[in-house]
Amino acid sequence: MNTQFVDSFRKPQTTGNLLLDMNPLSKLIICFLLGISAIIAQSIPYSFALCILYYFLAAAMGKLRSFSGIFTKIVVMILLFLLVLRQLTVKGDTVLFSIFGWKWTLEAVLVALNVSGYILGFSGAVVLFACATSARDLMYSLEQIGVPHTTSYIILASIQTIADLKKSANTIFESQKARGIEVEGNVFVRAKAFFPIISPLMLGAMSAAEEKSISMDARAFSLETRHTFLRELPKVSAGEKILVGLFLLGFIALIVCKIVL
């Protein structure tokens, strides 16, 4: 009898990547400190260097494609929006160039880069953490430090519901398309196809909610006892604790330098 599959659940679940296998709370603390540091520093070079660092970290985790697919779009949208907005709201004297008589000034560009820098610095940390950490591992680690299982389930279910609705919407979209309903085209065509899609989507969501409640009752979810888990997370190593401690010290040093300087 092949017991390899069963034996895989008797030891911590790992991916072989040191960064991905870090405890979710350790990754949460590091990403949070990096994101907040961009807001505290208020420095254009630091913020954009931090954004580049996120790409390197994502590549080291093997998540570069998923991270860059999301974060690059955020970078482009925020930069374009703030550059145009600040040119309309900030008055400057140093003209860089002119587009059909519209003068773009250096002062407005610097303000836009400064604001977009710390926004991107924080949002990049959020995207990186989301790509590097599964929701169930995060909720499991929260339960290990004393968070009630009801709270962790509500958070996990909320996150999972978004993914489930997206998957269901794509399925319904394809099925309606196969029935000859026009769902692609301009804005008016898409708006017209909205109602044939939203009705089965909501009915499916209500049915799924009922199925989840039944399965939770069958598993004695409401009992106020310590729950067991099918999979285990790796224990936090001494090196991981030291790494988190170094990030904390660096964050404190940044705050001190910002106050003193």
Side-chain angles (χ1 to χ4, degrees):
M1 179 178 176
N2 187 3
T3 60
Q4 183 178 1
F5 176 75
V6 177
D7 291 338
S8 65
F9 290 95
R10 293 174 178 167
K11 56 184 179 181
Q13 304 289 302
T14 58
T15 62
N17 187 296
L18 292 176
L19 295 177
L20 284 180
D21 290 338
M22 289 177 62
N23 187 274
L25 293 181
S26 299
K27 289 185 282 188
L28 177 63
I29 292 171
I30 292 174
C31 290
F32 178 77
L33 293 177
L34 288 175
I36 295 297
S37 68
I39 299 176
I40 294 175
Q42 296 281 316
S43 169
I44 296 175
Y46 177 81
S47 297
F48 285 95
L50 201 59
C51 293
I52 296 174
L53 175 63
Y54 293 150
Y55 280 98
F56 282 106
L57 290 175
M61 295 177 181
K63 300 291 184 178
L64 181 59
R65 177 175 294 183
S66 57
F67 173 78
S68 61
I70 299 173
F71 188 57
T72 303
K73 295 177 183 177
I74 295 175
V75 171
V76 172
M77 287 190 298
I78 290 180
L79 275 177
L80 289 178
F81 175 75
L82 287 177
L83 283 173
V84 173
L85 179 65
R86 291 306 178 183
Q87 290 297 329
L88 295 173
T89 57
V90 176
K91 293 182 179 180
D93 299 324
T94 308
V95 179
L96 295 176
F97 54 87
S98 179
I99 302 177
F100 299 109
W102 183 13
K103 297 179 180 180
W104 285 56
T105 62
L106 175 63
E107 291 80 3
V109 170
L110 290 177
V111 172
L113 290 177
N114 184 47
V115 176
S116 61
Y118 62 77
I119 293 176
L120 293 174
F122 185 81
S123 59
V126 174
V127 175
L128 180 64
F129 176 75
C131 292
T133 310
S134 65
R136 63 176 182 175
D137 288 346
L138 177 60
M139 295 305 107
Y140 181 20
S141 60
L142 289 176
E143 286 191 37
Q144 287 182 323
I145 62 173
V147 175
H149 64 272
T150 52
T151 302
S152 64
Y153 175 77
I154 291 172
I155 299 174
L156 179 60
S158 301
I159 298 173
Q160 188 62 39
T161 298
I162 298 174
D164 291 342
L165 286 176
K166 182 180 179 180
K167 187 183 297 183
S168 299
N170 290 334
T171 303
I172 296 170
F173 182 87
E174 293 298 329
S175 63
Q176 299 287 37
K177 185 178 178 181
R179 294 187 181 99
I181 298 177
E182 191 176 3
V183 295
E184 294 181 341
N186 55 35
V187 177
F188 299 102
V189 173
R190 291 178 178 270
K192 185 179 179 181
F194 175 76
F195 293 101
I197 294 174
I198 195 64
S199 300
L201 182 63
M202 296 305 297
L203 292 174
M206 289 187 286
S207 176
E210 184 179 1
E211 291 175 358
K212 286 182 180 180
S213 64
I214 294 173
S215 63
M216 288 168 62
D217 288 336
R219 295 171 183 172
F221 181 82
S222 59
L223 287 180
E224 295 298 330
T225 57
R226 185 176 179 82
H227 286 193
T228 57
F229 298 90
L230 181 62
R231 56 197 302 275
E232 293 292 333
L233 296 176
K235 293 184 178 180
V236 180
S237 63
E240 187 174 327
K241 293 179 181 178
I242 293 174
L243 180 62
V244 174
L246 291 175
F247 272 94
L248 284 170
L249 290 176
F251 182 73
I252 294 172
L254 175 63
I255 295 176
V256 172
C257 290
K258 193 67 178 179
I259 294 174
V260 173
L261 302 177

PDB file of all heavy atoms in Angstrom, residues 33-48 50 114 117-118 121 250-251 253-255 257-259 261:
ATOM      1  N   LEU A  33       5.611  46.477   7.460  1.00  0.00           N
ATOM      2  CA  LEU A  33       6.670  47.431   7.780  1.00  0.00           C
ATOM      3  C   LEU A  33       7.210  48.098   6.525  1.00  0.00           C
ATOM      4  O   LEU A  33       7.464  49.309   6.510  1.00  0.00           O
ATOM      5  CB  LEU A  33       7.798  46.729   8.536  1.00  0.00           C
ATOM      6  CG  LEU A  33       7.465  46.210   9.940  1.00  0.00           C
ATOM      7  CD1 LEU A  33       8.665  45.483  10.537  1.00  0.00           C
ATOM      8  CD2 LEU A  33       7.022  47.339  10.854  1.00  0.00           C
ATOM      9  N   LEU A  34       7.383  47.320   5.450  1.00  0.00           N
ATOM     10  CA  LEU A  34       7.865  47.905   4.201  1.00  0.00           C
ATOM     11  C   LEU A  34       6.862  48.911   3.642  1.00  0.00           C
ATOM     12  O   LEU A  34       7.241  49.993   3.181  1.00  0.00           O
ATOM     13  CB  LEU A  34       8.125  46.792   3.180  1.00  0.00           C
ATOM     14  CG  LEU A  34       9.339  45.892   3.434  1.00  0.00           C
ATOM     15  CD1 LEU A  34       9.386  44.776   2.403  1.00  0.00           C
ATOM     16  CD2 LEU A  34      10.632  46.692   3.398  1.00  0.00           C
ATOM     17  N   GLY A  35       5.580  48.554   3.672  1.00  0.00           N
ATOM     18  CA  GLY A  35       4.560  49.453   3.143  1.00  0.00           C
ATOM     19  C   GLY A  35       4.444  50.735   3.945  1.00  0.00           C
ATOM     20  O   GLY A  35       4.365  51.840   3.378  1.00  0.00           O
ATOM     21  N   ILE A  36       4.453  50.615   5.269  1.00  0.00           N
ATOM     22  CA  ILE A  36       4.353  51.805   6.124  1.00  0.00           C
ATOM     23  C   ILE A  36       5.601  52.659   6.019  1.00  0.00           C
ATOM     24  O   ILE A  36       5.535  53.898   6.117  1.00  0.00           O
ATOM     25  CB  ILE A  36       4.094  51.382   7.587  1.00  0.00           C
ATOM     26  CG1 ILE A  36       2.730  50.710   7.713  1.00  0.00           C
ATOM     27  CG2 ILE A  36       4.157  52.594   8.517  1.00  0.00           C
ATOM     28  CD1 ILE A  36       1.554  51.601   7.376  1.00  0.00           C
ATOM     29  N   SER A  37       6.755  52.025   5.815  1.00  0.00           N
ATOM     30  CA  SER A  37       7.999  52.795   5.712  1.00  0.00           C
ATOM     31  C   SER A  37       7.966  53.758   4.529  1.00  0.00           C
ATOM     32  O   SER A  37       8.546  54.844   4.579  1.00  0.00           O
ATOM     33  CB  SER A  37       9.190  51.847   5.589  1.00  0.00           C
ATOM     34  OG  SER A  37       9.171  51.160   4.344  1.00  0.00           O
ATOM     35  N   ALA A  38       7.297  53.359   3.450  1.00  0.00           N
ATOM     36  CA  ALA A  38       7.184  54.255   2.294  1.00  0.00           C
ATOM     37  C   ALA A  38       6.376  55.495   2.641  1.00  0.00           C
ATOM     38  O   ALA A  38       6.682  56.606   2.179  1.00  0.00           O
ATOM     39  CB  ALA A  38       6.541  53.508   1.119  1.00  0.00           C
ATOM     40  N   ILE A  39       5.347  55.313   3.459  1.00  0.00           N
ATOM     41  CA  ILE A  39       4.521  56.461   3.873  1.00  0.00           C
ATOM     42  C   ILE A  39       5.295  57.360   4.822  1.00  0.00           C
ATOM     43  O   ILE A  39       5.199  58.591   4.757  1.00  0.00           O
ATOM     44  CB  ILE A  39       3.224  55.957   4.534  1.00  0.00           C
ATOM     45  CG1 ILE A  39       2.419  55.112   3.540  1.00  0.00           C
ATOM     46  CG2 ILE A  39       2.385  57.127   5.041  1.00  0.00           C
ATOM     47  CD1 ILE A  39       1.176  54.499   4.126  1.00  0.00           C
ATOM     48  N   ILE A  40       6.081  56.772   5.722  1.00  0.00           N
ATOM     49  CA  ILE A  40       6.843  57.561   6.693  1.00  0.00           C
ATOM     50  C   ILE A  40       7.999  58.290   6.019  1.00  0.00           C
ATOM     51  O   ILE A  40       8.266  59.461   6.299  1.00  0.00           O
ATOM     52  CB  ILE A  40       7.359  56.651   7.824  1.00  0.00           C
ATOM     53  CG1 ILE A  40       6.182  56.102   8.631  1.00  0.00           C
ATOM     54  CG2 ILE A  40       8.320  57.407   8.742  1.00  0.00           C
ATOM     55  CD1 ILE A  40       6.580  55.111   9.698  1.00  0.00           C
ATOM     56  N   ALA A  41       8.698  57.595   5.115  1.00  0.00           N
ATOM     57  CA  ALA A  41       9.882  58.189   4.493  1.00  0.00           C
ATOM     58  C   ALA A  41       9.532  59.402   3.630  1.00  0.00           C
ATOM     59  O   ALA A  41      10.281  60.380   3.597  1.00  0.00           O
ATOM     60  CB  ALA A  41      10.598  57.138   3.655  1.00  0.00           C
ATOM     61  N   GLN A  42       8.415  59.327   2.897  1.00  0.00           N
ATOM     62  CA  GLN A  42       8.024  60.432   2.005  1.00  0.00           C
ATOM     63  C   GLN A  42       9.181  60.815   1.079  1.00  0.00           C
ATOM     64  O   GLN A  42       9.486  61.996   0.885  1.00  0.00           O
ATOM     65  CB  GLN A  42       7.588  61.641   2.829  1.00  0.00           C
ATOM     66  CG  GLN A  42       6.355  61.414   3.682  1.00  0.00           C
ATOM     67  CD  GLN A  42       5.074  61.506   2.871  1.00  0.00           C
ATOM     68  OE1 GLN A  42       4.921  62.395   2.062  1.00  0.00           O
ATOM     69  NE2 GLN A  42       4.166  60.590   3.109  1.00  0.00           N
ATOM     70  N   SER A  43       9.838  59.798   0.518  1.00  0.00           N
ATOM     71  CA  SER A  43      10.995  60.022  -0.340  1.00  0.00           C
ATOM     72  C   SER A  43      10.750  59.350  -1.689  1.00  0.00           C
ATOM     73  O   SER A  43      10.425  58.155  -1.738  1.00  0.00           O
ATOM     74  CB  SER A  43      12.259  59.447   0.310  1.00  0.00           C
ATOM     75  OG  SER A  43      13.337  59.421  -0.597  1.00  0.00           O
ATOM     76  N   ILE A  44      10.914  60.095  -2.760  1.00  0.00           N
ATOM     77  CA  ILE A  44      10.688  59.545  -4.098  1.00  0.00           C
ATOM     78  C   ILE A  44      11.679  58.424  -4.420  1.00  0.00           C
ATOM     79  O   ILE A  44      11.264  57.345  -4.850  1.00  0.00           O
ATOM     80  CB  ILE A  44      10.743  60.662  -5.153  1.00  0.00           C
ATOM     81  CG1 ILE A  44       9.595  61.657  -4.926  1.00  0.00           C
ATOM     82  CG2 ILE A  44      10.652  60.077  -6.563  1.00  0.00           C
ATOM     83  CD1 ILE A  44       9.639  62.859  -5.857  1.00  0.00           C
ATOM     84  N   PRO A  45      13.004  58.624  -4.212  1.00  0.00           N
ATOM     85  CA  PRO A  45      13.938  57.522  -4.516  1.00  0.00           C
ATOM     86  C   PRO A  45      13.657  56.280  -3.667  1.00  0.00           C
ATOM     87  O   PRO A  45      13.713  55.154  -4.180  1.00  0.00           O
ATOM     88  CB  PRO A  45      15.309  58.129  -4.189  1.00  0.00           C
ATOM     89  CG  PRO A  45      15.117  59.595  -4.301  1.00  0.00           C
ATOM     90  CD  PRO A  45      13.722  59.844  -3.832  1.00  0.00           C
ATOM     91  N   TYR A  46      13.368  56.471  -2.380  1.00  0.00           N
ATOM     92  CA  TYR A  46      13.126  55.321  -1.506  1.00  0.00           C
ATOM     93  C   TYR A  46      11.873  54.567  -1.930  1.00  0.00           C
ATOM     94  O   TYR A  46      11.868  53.328  -1.989  1.00  0.00           O
ATOM     95  CB  TYR A  46      12.977  55.793  -0.055  1.00  0.00           C
ATOM     96  CG  TYR A  46      12.648  54.669   0.911  1.00  0.00           C
ATOM     97  CD1 TYR A  46      13.652  53.848   1.399  1.00  0.00           C
ATOM     98  CD2 TYR A  46      11.336  54.443   1.315  1.00  0.00           C
ATOM     99  CE1 TYR A  46      13.348  52.815   2.277  1.00  0.00           C
ATOM    100  CE2 TYR A  46      11.026  53.406   2.186  1.00  0.00           C
ATOM    101  CZ  TYR A  46      12.045  52.600   2.665  1.00  0.00           C
ATOM    102  OH  TYR A  46      11.736  51.574   3.526  1.00  0.00           O
ATOM    103  N   SER A  47      10.807  55.287  -2.229  1.00  0.00           N
ATOM    104  CA  SER A  47       9.539  54.635  -2.578  1.00  0.00           C
ATOM    105  C   SER A  47       9.662  53.808  -3.850  1.00  0.00           C
ATOM    106  O   SER A  47       9.202  52.660  -3.911  1.00  0.00           O
ATOM    107  CB  SER A  47       8.439  55.693  -2.739  1.00  0.00           C
ATOM    108  OG  SER A  47       8.213  56.369  -1.522  1.00  0.00           O
ATOM    109  N   PHE A  48      10.300  54.363  -4.873  1.00  0.00           N
ATOM    110  CA  PHE A  48      10.393  53.633  -6.133  1.00  0.00           C
ATOM    111  C   PHE A  48      11.456  52.531  -6.067  1.00  0.00           C
ATOM    112  O   PHE A  48      11.349  51.528  -6.773  1.00  0.00           O
ATOM    113  CB  PHE A  48      10.661  54.600  -7.282  1.00  0.00           C
ATOM    114  CG  PHE A  48       9.439  55.395  -7.675  1.00  0.00           C
ATOM    115  CD1 PHE A  48       9.210  56.664  -7.160  1.00  0.00           C
ATOM    116  CD2 PHE A  48       8.504  54.854  -8.545  1.00  0.00           C
ATOM    117  CE1 PHE A  48       8.077  57.385  -7.506  1.00  0.00           C
ATOM    118  CE2 PHE A  48       7.363  55.562  -8.899  1.00  0.00           C
ATOM    119  CZ  PHE A  48       7.146  56.831  -8.378  1.00  0.00           C
ATOM    120  N   LEU A  50      11.778  50.809  -3.415  1.00  0.00           N
ATOM    121  CA  LEU A  50      10.988  49.791  -2.728  1.00  0.00           C
ATOM    122  C   LEU A  50      10.114  49.031  -3.718  1.00  0.00           C
ATOM    123  O   LEU A  50       9.965  47.801  -3.617  1.00  0.00           O
ATOM    124  CB  LEU A  50      10.119  50.464  -1.655  1.00  0.00           C
ATOM    125  CG  LEU A  50       9.599  49.595  -0.515  1.00  0.00           C
ATOM    126  CD1 LEU A  50      10.754  48.962   0.251  1.00  0.00           C
ATOM    127  CD2 LEU A  50       8.745  50.432   0.428  1.00  0.00           C
ATOM    128  N   ASN A 114       5.897  62.117  -5.601  1.00  0.00           N
ATOM    129  CA  ASN A 114       5.975  61.908  -4.152  1.00  0.00           C
ATOM    130  C   ASN A 114       4.727  61.197  -3.630  1.00  0.00           C
ATOM    131  O   ASN A 114       4.817  60.220  -2.862  1.00  0.00           O
ATOM    132  CB  ASN A 114       6.154  63.248  -3.441  1.00  0.00           C
ATOM    133  CG  ASN A 114       6.333  63.078  -1.949  1.00  0.00           C
ATOM    134  OD1 ASN A 114       7.116  62.233  -1.498  1.00  0.00           O
ATOM    135  ND2 ASN A 114       5.612  63.853  -1.171  1.00  0.00           N
ATOM    136  N   GLY A 117       4.479  57.710  -5.018  1.00  0.00           N
ATOM    137  CA  GLY A 117       5.529  56.863  -4.463  1.00  0.00           C
ATOM    138  C   GLY A 117       5.091  56.122  -3.222  1.00  0.00           C
ATOM    139  O   GLY A 117       5.240  54.900  -3.128  1.00  0.00           O
ATOM    140  N   TYR A 118       4.534  56.853  -2.246  1.00  0.00           N
ATOM    141  CA  TYR A 118       4.150  56.133  -1.023  1.00  0.00           C
ATOM    142  C   TYR A 118       2.849  55.350  -1.194  1.00  0.00           C
ATOM    143  O   TYR A 118       2.629  54.366  -0.495  1.00  0.00           O
ATOM    144  CB  TYR A 118       4.096  57.067   0.197  1.00  0.00           C
ATOM    145  CG  TYR A 118       3.118  58.199   0.166  1.00  0.00           C
ATOM    146  CD1 TYR A 118       1.770  57.991   0.386  1.00  0.00           C
ATOM    147  CD2 TYR A 118       3.547  59.515  -0.015  1.00  0.00           C
ATOM    148  CE1 TYR A 118       0.874  59.047   0.395  1.00  0.00           C
ATOM    149  CE2 TYR A 118       2.661  60.568  -0.007  1.00  0.00           C
ATOM    150  CZ  TYR A 118       1.332  60.335   0.203  1.00  0.00           C
ATOM    151  OH  TYR A 118       0.432  61.382   0.222  1.00  0.00           O
ATOM    152  N   GLY A 121       4.256  52.277  -2.817  1.00  0.00           N
ATOM    153  CA  GLY A 121       5.062  51.554  -1.845  1.00  0.00           C
ATOM    154  C   GLY A 121       4.217  50.715  -0.911  1.00  0.00           C
ATOM    155  O   GLY A 121       4.574  49.581  -0.577  1.00  0.00           O
ATOM    156  N   GLY A 250      15.099  48.211  11.707  1.00  0.00           N
ATOM    157  CA  GLY A 250      15.220  49.148  10.597  1.00  0.00           C
ATOM    158  C   GLY A 250      14.054  50.120  10.533  1.00  0.00           C
ATOM    159  O   GLY A 250      14.235  51.309  10.240  1.00  0.00           O
ATOM    160  N   PHE A 251      12.859  49.631  10.833  1.00  0.00           N
ATOM    161  CA  PHE A 251      11.675  50.491  10.827  1.00  0.00           C
ATOM    162  C   PHE A 251      11.765  51.530  11.940  1.00  0.00           C
ATOM    163  O   PHE A 251      11.446  52.709  11.731  1.00  0.00           O
ATOM    164  CB  PHE A 251      10.434  49.625  11.004  1.00  0.00           C
ATOM    165  CG  PHE A 251       9.136  50.380  10.962  1.00  0.00           C
ATOM    166  CD1 PHE A 251       8.640  50.873   9.777  1.00  0.00           C
ATOM    167  CD2 PHE A 251       8.421  50.612  12.130  1.00  0.00           C
ATOM    168  CE1 PHE A 251       7.453  51.574   9.737  1.00  0.00           C
ATOM    169  CE2 PHE A 251       7.232  51.310  12.097  1.00  0.00           C
ATOM    170  CZ  PHE A 251       6.747  51.790  10.901  1.00  0.00           C
ATOM    171  N   ALA A 253      14.523  52.631  13.289  1.00  0.00           N
ATOM    172  CA  ALA A 253      15.583  53.571  12.911  1.00  0.00           C
ATOM    173  C   ALA A 253      15.076  54.593  11.903  1.00  0.00           C
ATOM    174  O   ALA A 253      15.454  55.772  11.961  1.00  0.00           O
ATOM    175  CB  ALA A 253      16.761  52.790  12.333  1.00  0.00           C
ATOM    176  N   LEU A 254      14.231  54.168  10.990  1.00  0.00           N
ATOM    177  CA  LEU A 254      13.658  55.086  10.007  1.00  0.00           C
ATOM    178  C   LEU A 254      12.793  56.146  10.696  1.00  0.00           C
ATOM    179  O   LEU A 254      12.868  57.336  10.345  1.00  0.00           O
ATOM    180  CB  LEU A 254      12.813  54.307   8.991  1.00  0.00           C
ATOM    181  CG  LEU A 254      12.048  55.136   7.953  1.00  0.00           C
ATOM    182  CD1 LEU A 254      13.025  55.905   7.065  1.00  0.00           C
ATOM    183  CD2 LEU A 254      11.140  54.241   7.107  1.00  0.00           C
ATOM    184  N   ILE A 255      11.997  55.738  11.673  1.00  0.00           N
ATOM    185  CA  ILE A 255      11.165  56.687  12.403  1.00  0.00           C
ATOM    186  C   ILE A 255      12.023  57.693  13.164  1.00  0.00           C
ATOM    187  O   ILE A 255      11.767  58.914  13.159  1.00  0.00           O
ATOM    188  CB  ILE A 255      10.228  55.937  13.365  1.00  0.00           C
ATOM    189  CG1 ILE A 255       9.234  55.074  12.574  1.00  0.00           C
ATOM    190  CG2 ILE A 255       9.461  56.925  14.250  1.00  0.00           C
ATOM    191  CD1 ILE A 255       8.327  54.229  13.443  1.00  0.00           C
ATOM    192  N   CYS A 257      15.155  58.598  12.518  1.00  0.00           N
ATOM    193  CA  CYS A 257      15.816  59.500  11.554  1.00  0.00           C
ATOM    194  C   CYS A 257      14.845  60.544  11.013  1.00  0.00           C
ATOM    195  O   CYS A 257      15.209  61.700  10.819  1.00  0.00           O
ATOM    196  CB  CYS A 257      16.401  58.676  10.408  1.00  0.00           C
ATOM    197  SG  CYS A 257      17.811  57.654  10.871  1.00  0.00           S
ATOM    198  N   LYS A 258      13.611  60.121  10.798  1.00  0.00           N
ATOM    199  CA  LYS A 258      12.608  61.061  10.272  1.00  0.00           C
ATOM    200  C   LYS A 258      12.285  62.135  11.295  1.00  0.00           C
ATOM    201  O   LYS A 258      12.086  63.312  10.934  1.00  0.00           O
ATOM    202  CB  LYS A 258      11.326  60.282   9.904  1.00  0.00           C
ATOM    203  CG  LYS A 258      10.343  61.072   9.081  1.00  0.00           C
ATOM    204  CD  LYS A 258      10.880  61.373   7.697  1.00  0.00           C
ATOM    205  CE  LYS A 258       9.863  62.129   6.847  1.00  0.00           C
ATOM    206  NZ  LYS A 258      10.385  62.441   5.514  1.00  0.00           N
ATOM    207  N   ILE A 259      12.267  61.770  12.577  1.00  0.00           N
ATOM    208  CA  ILE A 259      11.970  62.743  13.634  1.00  0.00           C
ATOM    209  C   ILE A 259      13.159  63.681  13.837  1.00  0.00           C
ATOM    210  O   ILE A 259      13.001  64.895  13.954  1.00  0.00           O
ATOM    211  CB  ILE A 259      11.624  62.017  14.950  1.00  0.00           C
ATOM    212  CG1 ILE A 259      10.308  61.244  14.786  1.00  0.00           C
ATOM    213  CG2 ILE A 259      11.514  63.008  16.091  1.00  0.00           C
ATOM    214  CD1 ILE A 259       9.955  60.389  15.991  1.00  0.00           C
ATOM    215  N   LEU A 261      15.831  64.252  11.782  1.00  0.00           N
ATOM    216  CA  LEU A 261      16.218  65.014  10.604  1.00  0.00           C
ATOM    217  C   LEU A 261      15.061  65.825  10.036  1.00  0.00           C
ATOM    218  O   LEU A 261      15.256  66.749   9.294  1.00  0.00           O
ATOM    219  CB  LEU A 261      16.788  64.077   9.528  1.00  0.00           C
ATOM    220  CG  LEU A 261      17.997  63.246   9.940  1.00  0.00           C
ATOM    221  CD1 LEU A 261      18.422  62.316   8.825  1.00  0.00           C
ATOM    222  CD2 LEU A 261      19.149  64.147  10.355  1.00  0.00           C
TER     223      LEU A 261
END
